[in-house]
Amino acid sequence: MIEVEKKFQLSESDVAKLIDGAVFDSRRSFTDVYFDSPDYALTTRDIWLRSRDGYFQLKIPLHHSAERMADQYDELGEEDEIRAALKLPAGTDLESDIAAAGYAPFCTCMTTRRKYKRGSFTIDYDEVKADDFSYNLGEIELLVDEKSKIQRAIDDILALASTMGLKTAPVRGKVIEYLKRKNPGHYRKLVDTGVVKDF
Ligand code: V4E
């Protein structure tokens, strides 16, 4: 499945509006550790390798520009898919093979996510913490089964946001916000390579 998602900076009243009439689904907390090589070989190609509560996942972009209205990523969770995408040899311990290939943690953050359903839309409200870093953001998401349906999904997300009176200004995801505040050198690399649009 392809996740089509758009992030929003939400005021308390925005959260109340979005949640009103939606169905509460779940609340969970998880810890993400993001990995890259010392020369940022993955993130400068907008590829995001993380371990979420100990399970590796790889996000690979399906879009082609930092001028994004919504984010589209393929998400790989199977070990053999991740090994193939990272060109890792076959092996028995993915974590040590990732380390041996030169990928090391650059951001560890804990998210408390409240999830709501609104028809076919999923709404996430995330509270993110990492040491002295904290950040809140919302996300509206649709799942589609083929690339040809992505644009329609983006239009539907933007239509819902417009009905709710949400601002569709660009929003930094949690990791980008973390890098901007905590690791400006890495952040600058992402801007220079066109992965992130500075604002
Ligand atoms: C895709 C991405 C990153 C990886 C983290 O993805 P994100 O959707 O922020 O995390 P989360 O926890 O909501 O994942 P889910 O649980 O939905 O799978 S870090 C940066 N990006 C892309 C990105 C970008 N290139 N530019 C900007 C401004 N924001 C995000």
Side-chain angles (χ1 to χ4, degrees):
M1 291 299 271
I2 300 167
E3 287 177 9
V4 181
E5 52 193 40
K6 167 111 185 86
K7 296 180 196 319
F8 296 88
Q9 206 96 59
L10 301 175
S11 66
E12 275 184 27
S13 67
D14 291 334
V15 176
K17 261 187 284 178
L18 261 180
I19 288 172
D20 185 35
V23 178
F24 177 75
D25 180 86
S26 57
R27 175 188 184 279
R28 68 178 277 233
S29 295
F30 50 85
T31 299
D32 289 324
V33 183
Y34 284 87
F35 294 75
D36 206 346
S37 60
D39 61 350
Y40 312 124
L42 299 179
T43 56
T44 54
R45 288 183 290 147
D46 206 8
I47 296 172
W48 303 88
L49 173 64
R50 73 182 174 206
S51 153
R52 173 163 290 179
D53 287 343
Y55 292 95
F56 278 96
Q57 300 170 335
L58 190 65
K59 284 197 177 207
I60 297 179
L62 296 170
H63 54 79
H64 300 288
S65 147
E67 298 286 344
R68 54 186 60 210
M69 278 309 283
D71 300 327
Q72 303 99 44
Y73 290 86
D74 214 354
E75 190 167 322
L76 310 182
E78 297 296 327
E79 177 166 336
D80 53 349
E81 296 175 319
I82 294 173
R83 282 184 183 277
L86 295 178
K87 300 189 172 55
L88 298 178
T92 51
D93 184 349
L94 183 58
E95 185 168 11
S96 38
D97 291 341
I98 281 172
Y103 301 116
F106 66 87
C107 168
T108 299
C109 56
M110 201 189 94
T111 300
T112 298
R113 171 167 295 169
R114 289 174 181 78
K115 202 177 262 302
Y116 302 84
K117 293 278 185 196
R118 207 186 171 95
S120 50
F121 298 97
T122 300
I123 297 163
D124 288 346
Y125 185 63
D126 283 357
E127 295 175 296
V128 187
K129 298 215 179 313
D131 299 324
D132 60 343
F133 169 88
S134 74
Y135 190 55
N136 296 347
L137 80 169
E139 191 170 277
I140 302 178
E141 182 182 303
L142 280 174
L143 285 177
V144 296
D145 55 10
E146 51 183 80
K147 285 185 187 181
S148 64
K149 296 181 181 164
I150 288 176
Q151 189 55 50
R152 173 68 197 272
I154 294 172
D155 293 344
D156 289 348
I157 290 172
L158 293 175
L160 174 66
S162 161
T163 311
M164 296 282 146
L166 305 183
K167 277 190 247 131
T168 50
V171 172
R172 280 185 287 277
K174 60 188 76 165
V175 183
I176 304 299
E177 182 68 18
Y178 176 89
L179 292 176
K180 187 173 167 83
R181 290 195 220 165
K182 299 289 183 187
N183 189 341
H186 189 168
Y187 176 79
R188 176 52 48 194
K189 276 271 179 199
L190 299 182
V191 174
D192 290 346
T193 49
V195 169
V196 167
K197 192 173 182 331
D198 190 29
F199 59 88

